[in-house]
């Protein structure tokens, strides 16, 4: 049972900082600029599940037990995703981003924090319907190797397809979602023509660099887990990766407002968090 109460909450804070340092030193992952509220929630959840009494005790397990460390890593990387998540966003994307993208001879996209891939296959389907997929290269990245493996396979549970089909149609889909996959037993596999335009790669937004000269950066529901300092670092990466007049799409709870790169962008859709890199800035 957890030992924490109101009187020793300051100890919990110290232990949390020490744990993050230990993980960084031992495994090279730096979580020090993740939102503290998010970290605490996830760590305390694991603590209660495993009947561990303090974060210090958990630190010991993380350092000495590799399997436990892997569980801890999965705990911190929330991978919840779905196809055509927020259909209204995709409607806006089709209307306000696609016409501009279609003017380029070649399109390069960086999809950061792609999780198990549902969102990147959604994007590929839209590009196919708009006859742009053949001239597009998508780099889909995440720091979690386990989800990248799933994303590469493009295999999902058939149970999810009811919701995804609804999302797809609401988002302005031009066919049926089932036109893009084959069902086998309880699973579906998305067609090869979608996957072959996508390069899945390991990339950590905390430590890794830019993708040069991209027309579009897609990074939805990732910045919410970061503190202001890390958000600014990552938004700086996106700004430096984009060509002039390139687009940036964030999640509905995320924004460029008050960020260090706000003035580099114009707002294309305030509600759907679609931005365009201004002509004059770098
Ligand atoms: C909630 S999911 C969002 C998935 C998808 N973009 C969506 O909106 O449906 C957040 C993703 O961000 C990834 N992530 C978290 N920290 C990261 C980092 N430092 N570098 C790269 N990806 C990260 C997680 O592994 C996870 O797959």
């Amino acid at each position: 049972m957890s030992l924490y109460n109101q009187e020793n909450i300051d100890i919990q804070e110290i232990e949390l900082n020490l744990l993050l340092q230990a993980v960084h030193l031992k495994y090279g992952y730096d979580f020090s600029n993740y939102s503290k509220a998010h970290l605490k929630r996830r760590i305390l959840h694991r603590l209660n599940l495993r009947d561990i009494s303090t974060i210090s005790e958990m630190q010991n397990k993380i350092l000495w037990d590799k399997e436990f460390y892997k569980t801890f890593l999965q705990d911190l990387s929330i991978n919840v995703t779905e196809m055509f998540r927020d259909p209204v966003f995709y409607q806006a994307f089709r209307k306000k981003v696609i016409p501009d993208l279609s003017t380029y001879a070649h399109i390069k996209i960086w999809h950061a924090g792609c999780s198990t891939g549902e969102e990147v296959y959604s994007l590929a389907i839209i590009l196919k319907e708009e006859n742009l997929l053949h001239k597009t290269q998508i780099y889909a990245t995440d720091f979690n190797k386990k989800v990248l493996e799933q994303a590469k396979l493009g295999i999902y549970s058939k149970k999810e397809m009811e919701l995804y089909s609804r999302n797809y149609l609401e988002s302005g889909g031009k066919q049926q979602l089932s036109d893009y996959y084959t069902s086998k037993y309880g699973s579906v596999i998305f067609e090869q023509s979608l996957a072959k335009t996508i390069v899945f790669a390991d990339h950590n937004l905390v430590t890794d660099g830019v993708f040069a000269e991209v027309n579009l950066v897609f990074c939805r529901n990732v910045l919410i887990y970061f503190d202001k300092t890390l958000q600014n670092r990552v938004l700086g990466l996106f700004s430096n990766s984009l060509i002039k007049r390139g687009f940036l799409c964030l999640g509905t709870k995320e924004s460029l407002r008050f960020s260090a790169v706000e003035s580099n962008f114009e707002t294309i859709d305030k509600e759907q968090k679609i931005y365009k890199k201004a002509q004059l800035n770098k």
Side-chain angles (χ1 to χ4, degrees):
M1 214 181 73
S2 156
L3 287 184
Y4 299 117
N5 58 37
Q6 270 318 308
E7 271 123 65
N8 59 29
I9 211 81
D10 54 331
I11 301 181
Q12 190 188 73
E13 199 70 27
I14 296 168
E15 288 179 303
L16 175 63
N17 287 328
L18 291 173
L19 169 67
L20 298 181
Q21 271 184 46
V23 169
H24 193 186
L25 287 171
K26 171 86 172 98
Y27 298 104
Y29 281 99
D30 181 3
F31 289 102
S32 54
N33 288 109
Y34 276 55
S35 134
K36 287 286 179 298
H38 160 66
L39 289 172
K40 256 193 206 164
R41 218 172 19 248
R42 301 303 295 167
I43 289 170
L44 293 180
H45 176 68
R46 178 59 51 191
L47 207 101
N48 289 330
L49 278 184
R50 289 291 186 100
D51 213 8
I52 300 171
S53 16
T54 62
I55 296 178
S56 305
E57 197 186 314
M58 189 167 173
Q59 175 177 317
N60 235 17
K61 273 183 91 57
I62 287 171
L63 288 176
W64 291 99
D65 178 347
K66 213 158 186 174
E67 284 312 305
F68 187 81
Y69 165 69
K70 284 187 191 158
T71 309
F72 166 81
L73 199 60
Q74 294 307 321
D75 281 346
L76 294 197
S77 109
I78 308 272
N79 303 115
V80 182
T81 186
E82 63 188 53
M83 289 194 82
F84 298 96
R85 186 179 193 176
D86 309 316
V88 184
F89 159 78
Y90 286 96
Q91 280 175 16
F93 181 81
R94 278 191 198 258
K95 212 161 120 197
K96 299 177 180 175
V97 179
I98 289 290
D100 214 302
L101 282 187
S102 61
T103 62
Y104 293 94
H106 183 75
I107 303 165
K108 192 168 153 188
I109 297 174
W110 178 16
H111 195 130
C114 66
S115 188
T116 38
E118 286 86 336
E119 198 181 49
V120 69
Y121 286 102
S122 309
L123 181 60
I125 287 172
I126 292 182
L127 293 166
K128 186 164 184 169
E129 291 185 356
E130 302 295 338
N131 200 24
L132 299 178
L133 194 62
H134 63 282
K135 57 172 179 173
T136 302
Q137 177 74 68
I138 305 176
Y139 295 92
T141 63
D142 205 286
F143 82 144
N144 181 329
K145 296 184 182 70
K146 200 167 161 186
V147 294
L148 280 175
E149 286 312 313
Q150 279 175 260
K152 274 180 209 164
L153 293 175
I155 298 176
Y156 302 103
S157 159
K158 194 159 182 5
K159 275 191 279 183
E160 314 286 359
M161 291 305 132
E162 201 180 311
L163 168 69
Y164 295 175
S165 295
R166 241 187 354 258
N167 284 354
Y168 164 75
L169 292 174
E170 260 181 72
S171 75
K174 293 182 175 170
Q175 302 193 159
Q176 293 298 320
L177 187 61
S178 53
D179 294 338
Y180 297 102
Y181 62 74
T182 315
S183 304
K184 209 168 187 187
Y185 308 111
S187 300
V188 308
I189 179 156
F190 278 85
E191 64 179 49
Q192 266 307 303
S193 69
L194 302 174
K196 80 171 190 235
T197 57
I198 309 168
V199 175
F200 288 100
D202 181 6
H203 180 281
N204 190 339
L205 291 164
V206 177
T207 43
D208 294 330
V210 297
F211 276 75
E213 305 278 292
V214 299
N215 302 77
L216 165 68
V217 172
F218 220 81
C219 184
R220 307 188 67 234
N221 309 301
V222 180
L223 294 180
I224 33 169
Y225 301 109
F226 298 167
D227 72 7
K228 203 80 208 155
T229 309
L230 184 52
Q231 286 179 3
N232 275 325
R233 175 193 199 267
V234 173
L235 289 171
L237 281 186
F238 295 161
S239 181
N240 289 332
S241 297
L242 282 165
I243 59 163
K244 282 170 188 160
R245 308 197 64 72
F247 289 91
L248 172 63
C249 296
L250 301 178
T252 44
K253 294 193 205 88
E254 298 158 338
S255 162
L256 278 188
R257 276 201 85 195
F258 309 120
S259 75
V261 299
E262 186 179 3
S263 62
N264 293 3
F265 289 86
E266 59 179 284
T267 303
I268 299 299
D269 189 315
K270 194 163 155 240
E271 295 300 314
Q272 301 310 321
K273 308 298 161 59
I274 300 176
Y275 304 93
K276 188 175 193 176
K277 189 166 160 184
Q279 186 97 51
L280 294 175
N281 293 306
K282 194 181 167 294

